[in-house]
Amino acid sequence: MYEKQTAKIIPFRSIDIFENAVSAGTGNFLVDGPKETVRIDESILPEDTTFGVRISGDSMEPEFHDGQIAWVLQQESVANGEIGIFALNGEAYIKKLQNDKDGIFLISLNEKYAPIKVSENDRLDIFGKVLGKSDASAITGHCR
């Protein structure tokens, strides 16, 4: 008479997304900027994600696109060749780190952008390693 049904439970997680977009181009300031807390299906979050940042610009194409959210593991260093979130002299970037005999560079994946050389007088802060990305449509709503 009654059919057994199984409910599918989708686990959601609250996560902070910084509203000041990191630049995939010219640079935007991130530190202590405004942020929103959103509910998101945790199955689309890479394991160990600490926070998200909005991407602005096209310098990380074809891998990352304007308007997407990069998921980040907050840590104080990234390995050579990894993509991270950096602040160079107060401007926030999503870039690939290159550290070799020629110095430290923040590298765009889009070849139309030149590498950014970090000089010894520059201040470089590392916010974390990029673990993945999502389109903004993946966000289900704001938490209260």
Side-chain angles (χ1 to χ4, degrees), residues 23-95:
S23 181
T26 59
N28 290 314
F29 191 65
L30 176 69
V31 181
D32 295 327
K35 64 184 175 187
E36 61 181 325
T37 302
V38 298
R39 286 176 33 98
I40 190 162
D41 178 344
E42 69 180 21
S43 69
I44 67 168
L45 288 175
E47 191 173 342
D48 298 328
T49 297
T50 312
F51 64 91
V53 292
R54 296 184 189 281
I55 297 171
S56 174
D58 67 350
S59 75
M60 292 302 283
E61 289 183 359
E63 185 66 28
F64 298 91
H65 299 280
D66 186 63
Q68 287 184 316
I69 297 168
W71 302 118
V72 182
L73 169 61
Q74 186 173 358
Q75 58 186 36
E76 294 179 3
S77 65
V78 296
N80 191 28
E82 288 183 331
I83 295 173
I85 304 299
F86 304 94
L88 180 61
N89 300 323
E91 296 294 318
Y93 295 92
I94 176 173
K95 298 289 180 194

